[in-house]
Amino acid sequence: MTDSDRDRLDGGPTPIAEAVAVLEDQLGPIDRTETVPIGEAKGQVLPNAIVADRNLPAYRRSERDGYAVRAADTTDAAGTEPSVFSTTTGAIGTGETAYVHTGSAVPEGADAVVMIENVSEMPEEGAKPETDGQSGNRIKIRAPVESGAYVTPIGADLQTGTSLFEAGHRLRPGDLGALKLAGVRKIPVLDAPTVAVIPTGEELVQSDPDPGEVVETNGLVGSTQVEQWCGTARYRDVVTDEESALQAAIERDLDADLIVTTGGSSVGSRDLLPSVVADRGEVLIRGLALRPGHSAGVGVVSGTPIAMLPGTPIASLVVASLVVRPALATAVGTQPVDPPTVQATLETELHSEAGRRTVHGVTLDNGGGQTDSPVARTAERGGLPSLTGIDGWVQVAESSTELTVGESVPVERWGVSFC
């Protein structure tokens, strides 16, 4: 895009933070809920706080295989002169004991567990401690224990009324285990945002391109990103560059929470999306202070926000990551999870225009594991990064115009799932 083309974008370039705020405002809070089994709740967001309705453990739990005893009865136990106990299967009285497994209930009357390593059978009786299924066997305990030894009290892990998770919490795999332990089997969650992803362009085909045709990838990548960010994607067929076709495609998905289009957002003769959106609704943003991704825009039709992404693959991916991703998180009342980063040393200078955020695709080289800090090399080709072989990207902020050789910078690993 030439400078004159940029000048013709309505309203001038919008800073990324402002673009995110506009899209968030149009998307609004999503407060639809559904109740799902906890096995299906990974990545979903809680509309309400979850409070435990049971103690965990609900009983005094043994932490070791061994024998439950009254600690006071073991005071005189020693290796040379062990204390003798008789086994029982009921409540523990003075001089009595009962075999317990790790995780089993500690019998009434007992306040400690002696590890199996400190117990021996009585040879004259021929009893085996680990097979104490009957009362009346006798064992020797060779070491004293203190009250509470190897006994987990009731509610030590979780007490009734304790808050497990606050509203807005996005459930992680480990959280599902905690919910199951707390007795939760089904849980209300916010509906995932529904995002219709519509690739546009008369030159796009799904396979086997002829000269002048291009295989569609933006919609595929965009819909995959939506799923990666815990949304529900509708990956639509390619729509040609005709006003009637574009209008019909948008109207078909006005029931979605968000429509994302790819291609047709610039100022060329075939870039019809802004005018189609303006005819049916309103264009709120036309052009971002971003490279790549300058030609992106935001609009709204019948209350449904539309993010108009560029047709260049890397530009489409960048705008989706920097604008769409945080807006989807805010819509369900949670904070966006930034992609993981790795610190790397720049091998070449990275430049940016003042007041514009610039994203540079890079590859990483750690010398086969021989260096502590990997080297970041630009992956640009023809002035724009290529999607092929990118390990991540480096951002040059609006307040800066360059990053210098040898500088340590965070490389965002955009390809890693972080829902």
Side-chain angles (χ1 to χ4, degrees):
M1 184 187 300
T2 66
D3 290 339
S4 60
D5 286 335
R6 292 191 180 96
D7 291 339
R8 286 191 286 133
L9 292 178
D10 298 339
T14 301
I16 297 302
E18 182 179 335
V20 172
V22 169
L23 185 58
E24 288 175 343
D25 183 61
Q26 294 300 316
L27 189 52
I30 295 174
D31 53 10
R32 304 184 307 270
T33 62
E34 60 177 333
T35 299
V36 300
I38 59 171
E40 300 175 10
K42 173 188 173 292
Q44 300 304 304
V45 176
L46 298 175
N48 307 302
I50 301 297
V51 177
D53 60 2
R54 64 168 62 176
N55 290 319
L56 185 67
Y59 59 90
R60 294 187 306 143
R61 183 175 62 202
S62 175
E63 299 173 2
R64 297 286 190 276
D65 290 345
Y67 276 80
V69 297
R70 295 185 175 190
D73 294 345
T74 69
T75 303
D76 297 329
T80 55
E81 299 208 7
S83 298
V84 178
F85 290 75
S86 60
T87 61
T88 182
T89 56
I92 304 300
T94 301
E96 292 181 329
T97 186
Y99 184 73
V100 290
H101 297 280
T102 301
S104 64
V106 175
E108 289 297 321
D111 63 351
V113 171
V114 179
M115 291 192 299
I116 193 70
E117 293 88 339
N118 294 323
V119 176
S120 61
E121 64 187 68
M122 296 285 287
E124 63 272 25
E125 297 291 335
K128 294 183 178 180
E130 60 271 24
T131 57
D132 71 302
Q134 301 178 2
S135 298
N137 294 334
R138 293 193 300 164
I139 63 168
K140 293 178 181 180
I141 293 178
R142 299 189 300 272
V145 292
E146 296 182 355
S147 178
Y150 304 117
V151 176
T152 301
I154 293 173
D157 298 332
L158 185 67
Q159 294 184 351
T160 301
T162 300
S163 177
L164 284 172
F165 306 109
E166 298 298 326
H169 177 76
R170 192 182 292 280
L171 292 169
R172 301 158 298 186
D175 299 335
L176 307 184
L179 290 170
K180 187 173 183 179
L181 287 172
V184 177
R185 295 296 178 266
K186 293 185 177 182
I187 190 168
V189 296
L190 289 173
D191 277 353
T194 299
V195 182
V197 182
I198 307 174
T200 74
E202 64 183 28
E203 77 282 6
L204 298 180
V205 295
Q206 291 294 358
S207 62
D208 302 325
D210 290 327
E213 295 180 333
V214 178
V215 174
E216 198 292 307
T217 60
N218 289 338
L220 173 63
V221 174
S223 59
T224 303
Q225 284 181 299
V226 168
E227 298 289 343
Q228 184 182 24
W229 301 328
C230 298
T232 299
R234 299 176 186 169
Y235 178 22
R236 295 304 196 181
D237 290 335
V238 174
V239 179
T240 192
D241 296 315
E242 295 178 357
E243 289 190 3
S244 59
L246 293 170
Q247 180 173 322
I250 289 173
E251 291 179 345
R252 173 190 56 194
D253 282 310
L254 288 177
D255 64 327
D257 295 305
L258 172 66
I259 296 174
V260 173
T261 61
T262 65
S265 65
S266 190
V267 294
S269 60
R270 294 189 300 175
D271 293 308
L272 304 177
L273 266 170
S275 62
V276 169
V277 171
D279 286 344
R280 292 280 286 109
E282 183 179 3
V283 174
L284 304 171
I285 293 175
R286 187 85 190 275
L288 301 179
L290 175 69
R291 182 181 182 276
H294 175 84
S295 64
V298 175
V300 60
V301 173
S302 299
T304 301
I306 302 174
M308 296 174 282
L309 275 52
T312 304
I314 188 65
S316 177
L317 186 149
V318 166
V319 175
S321 298
L322 298 185
V323 179
V324 175
R325 175 181 61 85
L328 290 179
T330 302
V332 290
T334 189
Q335 294 296 314
V337 178
D338 291 329
T341 62
V342 59
Q343 287 296 125
T345 302
L346 280 179
E347 186 181 64
T348 56
E349 290 183 349
L350 300 180
H351 298 277
S352 179
E353 182 182 338
R356 186 186 305 275
R357 189 182 309 188
T358 301
V359 176
H360 295 268
V362 297
T363 60
L364 294 172
D365 181 3
N366 67 352
Q370 300 301 310
T371 60
D372 294 332
S373 178
V375 171
R377 297 189 176 99
T378 182
E380 294 183 355
R381 182 175 59 198
L384 288 175
S386 166
L387 282 176
T388 305
I390 287 180
D391 292 318
W393 59 45
V394 175
Q395 294 191 39
V396 183
E398 293 88 340
S399 58
S400 178
T401 57
E402 69 174 5
L403 299 175
T404 60
V405 174
E407 188 169 347
S408 179
V409 296
V411 177
E412 297 180 14
R413 304 299 300 276
W414 62 268
V416 181
S417 178
F418 48 92
C419 173

